[in-house]
Amino acid sequence: MDDIFFDSDGNLDRLILQSVARRPLSVDKTAASPEGGANEERFYDIDGDSFVLRYQDVKTLNVQYVKLTTAESAPEA
C-alpha cells in the first residue's frame, strides 16, 4: 500500500497500491486441487505504476506485507 485517502467525513475513500497482482477465479483453489496450481501460475501482475482502488468497490483484498530490516555492520578487526 503506497497511500490512502479519506473523504470529507473522515471515511476511507481510496487506496493506492503498488506491485499489484490478480488471478482469475477460474484458476482458484478447488476441492480436487487444494493448491490451485503454483503461486506463479495463479497470479499475474497488473500493468502500471500504481493501482487506485476505490474503497466502496472493495469486495476482498489480500495484502502481503514484507518486513525490511537494516543489515548490521560487521565489527572492525
Side-chain angles (χ1 to χ4, degrees), residues 55-77:
Y55 185 69
Q56 69 184 23
D57 295 333
V58 173
K59 301 288 187 259
T60 61
L61 182 63
N62 184 352
V63 178
Q64 199 171 36
Y65 293 94
V66 177
K67 182 177 181 179
L68 302 176
T69 59
T70 57
E72 293 185 27
S73 300
E76 293 183 28

Side-chain angles (χ1 to χ4, degrees), residues 1-49:
M1 187 170 351
D2 188 50
D3 207 348
I4 58 174
F5 293 92
F6 299 92
D7 64 17
S8 59
D9 295 326
N11 298 314
L12 189 56
D13 184 50
R14 287 172 288 149
L15 305 169
I16 311 299
L17 307 174
Q18 302 289 324
S19 302
V20 178
R22 70 177 302 253
R23 65 176 168 73
L25 292 178
S26 61
V27 188
D28 202 3
K29 296 178 184 178
T30 64
S33 173
E35 294 84 30
N39 193 34
E40 301 83 36
E41 296 171 5
R42 291 182 61 216
F43 292 88
Y44 59 92
D45 292 336
I46 295 176
D47 292 335
D49 295 326

